[in-house]
Amino acid sequence: MTHDLMIEARGLRKSFGPTVALDGIDLEVPAGAILGVLGPNGAGKTTAVRILTTLSIPDAGSARVAGHDVVREAAAVQRNIGVTAQDATLDEVLTGRENLVMIGRLSGLRRAQARLRAAELLDQFDLVDAADRVLKEYSGGMRRRLDLAAGLLTRPPVLFLDEPTTGLDPTSRVRMWEVIRGLVADGVTLLLTTQYLDEADELADRIVVIDHGRVIANGTSAELKTQTGGARLELTLSEVHTAAAQVLAPFVEGAVHVSHDGRRLRAPVRATTGLASTVVRALDDAGITVDDVELRQPSLDDVFFALTGHPTEEPDNADLEVARS
Amino acid sequence: MSLTTAPAPAASPATPRARPTRSRGATQRFRDVVVLTGRNLLHIKREPLQLSDVTVQPVLFTLLFIYVFGSGVVLPGGGSYKDFAIAGLLAMNLTTSSMGTAVGLSSDLGSGVIDRFRTLSMWRPAVLVGRSLADLMTAVICSAFVGATGLLVGWRPDAGVASVAAGFAIFLLFSYALSWGCACLGMVSKSAESAQGIGLVILFPLAIVSNALVPTEHMPVVLRTIADWNPVSAVTTASRKFFGNPNPSVTIHAWPMQHAVLASLLWSVALIAIFAPLATALYRRRTTD
Ligand SMILES: Nc1ncnc2c1ncn2[C@@H]1O[C@H](COP(=O)(O)OP(=O)(O)OP(=O)(O)O)[C@@H](O)[C@H]1O
Ligand SMILES: [Mg+2]
C-alpha cells in the first residue's frame, strides 16, 4: 500500500532548456527507511531533491512527501521536511546560533522554543564553541553540520540530505555518518544523495543508482553487488610456481587468471569463512609461499561500471544505454 | 551486515510528531516579518560598508554640501543655505540609500539562503516585507544623522515639533515607496554589483535633477521642467514647508510645487501600488523553477 510510503515519486521529468536533468524517475521510500540516491556529477540528484522539497516544479510526473503532493500541497510538505541542500543555505553574516533561531522561528517555533532547540542542536552537533561566531569564520565541516542541524529544528519526520559529506575530510566524513545514523535511529525517513559509493553502502537500506536522469538500478547494497558477480580472490606468490593454479582450482568458482609475470593469480570465489587461510594453507602444503592474499568484495564502483559500462568518473560517456536489462 | 536483502524496517505510519503550533494566520505572518526584518538589520549592522552608508555618509554629505555649496548658492527670496539644505540632504541620502534594498535582495537571491527560506513553511512575501521594513529602519537612522548633523552646524527649523516630525515622515514614506521600486530592481539584476550599478544610474540623477540641493530657477528649461515634476522635488518642497525653511519652489507654477504635500503622498502611494505587487510577482517568478 502506498500509504506507508513517506516519499513517493512517479515519472518525474525536468528539463533545463535542452538539458534533460530528469528523464522519468520513480522513487519510493517507506517510513523509517533510508534511500541512497547514487549517481555521478550531473546525474540529476539535486534536481530530484529540489522537486521533492518543493523548490522546483517538475515538467511531468508527480511526487508525494509525507502524504502530500509536492506541488499542490507544498506548504504541508514543508511542514514535514528538513532539508540540507548541496550548497550552503545559511546566512554567512549571522552566527550559528542566530541562524538556527531564525530558521526555527520561521518554521513556526516560538522564540523560547527556537532558542532551546537551537542550543540542543548546537550541542548535539558539537558546535557549542562556535555557536556565537559568524559563519564566515566556520570551516567547511562546521558549516555542513550546521546546515544539517538547520534542517532538524522542528524534528521533521522526513529528511533530505543532498551530498552531505561532499568536500569533507575523511574524519569529518565519518563523523557526519555517525550523526546521520543517529538521526535515523530516531526513526526519521531519509533520502540521501551521494557520489560516494561507500557512503550509500554505509548508510542506506536501499540504493537507487541514477545516471543521466534515469534510474539504472534499484536494490539493496547486497543485491547490487551480486550483479557484478560476487567476490574475488587475489594472490601474489613469492615466486612463480606453475602448479599454483591447479592447487587453487578446487576452491574457486571459475577459471584462475594468472598474470603475465606468473606471480599474481586472480579468481572469482564464493566468499566463505576461512577461505583465505584455507587457500594459503593448501598452497603452503604444496610448497608455494604467498606474499599477499586479498579477498575483494566488489565495490559499488564495480557495480556502476557493470551497470553503465563507464566508470563513475566519466559522466558524459555516451554509450550508457547498455545499462541493465 | 544488516543491510542484506531484508526490506526496509517495517513501515510505521506517518505518526505526527510534536509539531510546533502553526496557525498560519496573521500572527505567524507578522512573526515571519519581524524575524526577517531583524535579520536584515543585523546584516546592516555587521557589514561595514552598509553601516557607513547610513551613518558616515549622511554626516559627510551634510557637511560637504553645506560648506561647499553653501558658499556659492544664493537663494531666490533669501534665507540661509543651511536651512534650505537639510530637506535636500534628506532627499539626497534617502534616495540613494534606498539602493540598499536592491543590493540586499539581489545578494540574498544570489546566495542559498532564499532556498532555505523557501523550504520552510513561512509566509513567502515576508522576505520582501522584511527587507522593506529593515530599509525603512535604516532610513530612520540615516535621517536622524542628517538632522543631528544639521542641528550641530546651525540648521534651525521654524515650525512646531509635530510639523518637523511630519517633514521627516513624508520623506520616510517616500523612501519606503522607493525601496519597493528598488526591490524590483534587485529582482531583475543578476548580481548585487549590477544592482548597485543600475541603481546608481537611476537614483543619482533622480536625487540631483531636483530642487534638493539647488533651486531650480536657473536650470535650463528642460532640466527645470523635469526637476519641477520630479517626485523628489515634491517631497523636498513638502518637507521644507513642514520645517518652515526657505522654500523657493513654492513660487513655481508646476502643479506638484503648488500642492507639494498632496503630490508627495500621491507619488508615494502610487509607487507602492505599482511596485509592491510587481516586486511580489517578480520574486515569485525569480524563485520558481
Ligand atoms: N538551474 C539549472 N539550469 C540549467 N541546467 C541545470 C540547472 N540545474 C541543473 N541543471 C542541469 O541538469 C543536470 C542535472 O543536474 P543536477 O544538479 O541535478 O545533478 P547532480 O546529480 O546533483 O550533480 P552533482 O553531483 O554535480 O551535484 C545537469 O546536466 C545540470 O547541468
Ligand atoms: Mg547535486
Side-chain angles (χ1 to χ4, degrees):
Chain A
M1 279 298 284
T2 55
H3 292 110
D4 296 324
L5 296 176
M6 283 298 257
I7 304 172
E8 184 184 12
R10 295 270 170 262
L12 289 185
R13 285 175 193 279
K14 180 80 182 175
S15 299
F16 298 98
T19 313
V20 179
L22 291 183
D23 195 8
I25 290 242
D26 295 335
L27 296 171
E28 284 186 357
V29 191
I34 309 172
L35 178 71
V37 174
L38 177 67
N41 285 130
K45 303 181 295 294
T46 298
T47 307
V49 169
R50 286 179 64 87
I51 290 173
L52 294 172
T53 56
T54 76
L55 286 175
S56 186
I57 295 171
D59 297 339
S62 65
R64 298 177 80 76
V65 171
H68 303 286
D69 186 277
V70 294
V71 178
R72 280 177 284 114
E73 303 164 287
V77 171
Q78 287 158 357
R79 283 195 283 276
N80 283 287
I81 60 173
V83 186
T84 301
Q86 181 169 1
D87 300 316
T89 55
L90 295 165
D91 192 326
E92 289 285 300
V93 179
L94 303 191
T95 66
R97 192 189 306 279
E98 286 165 349
N99 263 292
L100 294 185
V101 172
M102 171 179 76
I103 292 162
R105 300 211 69 208
L106 293 175
S107 319
L109 300 181
R110 297 181 181 289
R111 191 196 304 268
Q113 274 179 307
R115 290 224 176 108
L116 195 70
R117 187 74 185 121
E120 262 172 40
L121 286 165
L122 287 164
D123 187 44
Q124 184 185 341
F125 286 81
D126 203 5
L127 289 166
V128 174
D129 292 338
D132 297 307
R133 298 217 305 262
V134 295
L135 251 62
K136 283 177 183 162
E137 298 169 19
Y138 274 40
S139 73
M142 288 156 74
R143 271 167 219 262
R144 218 65 199 115
R145 293 207 299 280
L146 190 70
D147 223 329
L148 183 53
L152 302 174
L153 277 146
T154 57
R155 305 179 199 275
V158 187
L159 275 183
F160 293 88
L161 308 182
D162 194 359
E163 301 197 20
T165 67
T166 299
L168 298 188
D169 65 38
T171 322
S172 312
R173 209 169 149 224
V174 171
R175 213 159 133 201
M176 185 61 94
W177 285 356
E178 280 162 17
V179 169
I180 293 169
R181 284 201 197 94
L183 296 176
V184 171
D186 289 348
V188 301
T189 305
L190 171 64
L191 186 149
L192 157 111
T193 78
T194 180
Q195 303 186 32
Y196 300 121
L197 310 155
D198 57 334
E199 183 161 290
D201 195 4
E202 281 282 336
L203 297 174
D205 301 318
R206 294 186 72 83
I207 298 171
V208 162
V209 185
I210 67 173
D211 192 30
H212 289 73
R214 289 167 174 276
V215 175
I216 56 170
N218 180 356
T220 62
S221 170
E223 282 164 8
L224 291 179
K225 284 176 175 179
T226 314
Q227 294 183 12
T228 55
R232 266 201 316 259
L233 184 70
E234 297 187 359
L235 286 165
T236 307
L237 308 179
S238 307
E239 52 201 40
V240 180
H241 216 294
T242 44
Q246 262 174 308
V247 177
L248 221 51
F251 304 101
V252 305
E253 296 279 290
V256 179
H257 179 268
V258 184
S259 66
H260 291 303
D261 64 10
R263 278 186 58 210
R264 275 173 294 134
L265 285 76
R266 201 176 71 212
V269 291
R270 189 168 334 108
T272 48
T273 28
L275 178 69
S277 48
T278 314
V279 169
V280 172
R281 211 175 301 120
L283 287 165
D284 205 34
D285 291 345
I288 304 171
T289 49
V290 178
D291 276 357
D292 188 51
V293 59
E294 189 182 6
L295 191 58
R296 274 197 57 198
Q297 294 294 340
S299 72
L300 284 170
D301 277 310
D302 299 328
V303 175
F304 202 87
F305 189 84
L307 291 171
T308 65
H310 64 82
T312 52
E313 291 75 23
E314 294 168 41
D316 288 321
N317 203 334
D319 57 351
L320 57 129
E321 295 307 332
V322 291
R324 84 200 193 111
S325 39
Chain B
M1 272 192 305
S2 60
L3 307 178
T4 49
T5 51
S12 61
T15 43
R17 299 171 163 233
R19 314 292 312 151
T21 43
R22 282 166 192 281
S23 53
R24 283 286 131 179
T27 325
Q28 178 63 43
R29 288 179 176 199
F30 179 72
R31 191 188 298 172
D32 291 344
V33 169
V34 168
V35 170
L36 286 178
T37 305
R39 175 248 175 191
N40 293 333
L41 286 174
L42 270 180
H43 270 242
I44 292 159
K45 185 176 144 203
R46 289 188 189 154
E47 300 280 10
L49 263 177
Q50 290 190 43
L51 187 63
S52 93
D53 272 0
V54 295
T55 54
V56 179
Q57 180 185 304
V59 174
L60 205 64
F61 272 17
T62 307
L63 296 177
L64 286 177
F65 277 95
I66 285 180
Y67 288 113
V68 177
F69 282 63
S71 52
V73 176
V74 178
L75 299 176
S80 95
Y81 186 75
K82 269 176 209 163
D83 288 339
F84 169 82
I86 292 304
L89 285 161
L90 286 175
M92 178 79 190
N93 281 293
L94 293 183
T95 305
T96 52
S97 79
S98 67
M99 202 156 64
T101 309
V103 174
L105 258 182
S106 85
S107 72
D108 276 354
L109 285 163
S111 77
V113 76
I114 298 276
D115 272 353
R116 166 67 68 187
F117 293 156
R118 290 179 55 217
T119 62
L120 307 177
S121 58
M122 56 176 277
W123 187 49
R124 263 196 177 200
V127 171
L128 297 177
V129 179
R131 170 63 60 184
S132 73
L133 287 181
D135 291 328
L136 178 61
M137 304 284 202
T138 62
V140 170
I141 297 167
C142 183
S143 46
F145 271 94
V146 173
T149 314
L151 285 174
L152 278 179
V153 300
W155 165 58
R156 293 294 172 262
D158 185 11
V161 176
S163 182
V164 173
F168 278 98
I170 205 158
F171 258 121
L172 293 172
L173 174 66
F174 179 68
S175 133
Y176 183 76
L178 213 51
S179 73
W180 280 103
C182 291
C184 295
L185 174 64
M187 229 86 67
V188 295
S189 39
K190 296 224 155 43
S191 68
E193 288 74 22
S194 74
Q196 174 124 31
I198 301 167
L200 204 66
V201 167
I202 297 171
L203 294 173
F204 206 65
L206 190 69
I208 296 290
V209 186
S210 74
N211 64 10
L213 299 170
V214 290
T216 58
E217 303 205 316
H218 302 296
M219 292 182 180
V221 175
V222 176
L223 275 189
R224 182 183 165 164
T225 311
I226 296 174
D228 287 342
W229 286 85
N230 181 345
V232 173
S233 298
V235 186
T236 310
T237 304
S239 169
R240 283 185 181 131
K241 223 181 228 174
F242 283 126
F243 290 162
N245 282 152
N247 203 358
S249 294
V250 288
T251 61
I252 291 168
H253 288 300
W255 186 86
M257 297 298 100
Q258 290 299 315
H259 306 88
V261 175
L262 181 60
S264 307
L265 295 177
L266 285 178
W267 271 115
S268 300
V269 170
L271 287 175
I272 294 175
I274 294 168
F275 286 123
L278 183 62
T280 312
L282 286 172
Y283 177 70
R284 205 165 286 269
R285 206 186 67 180
R286 177 87 186 246
T287 55
T288 301
D289 65 308

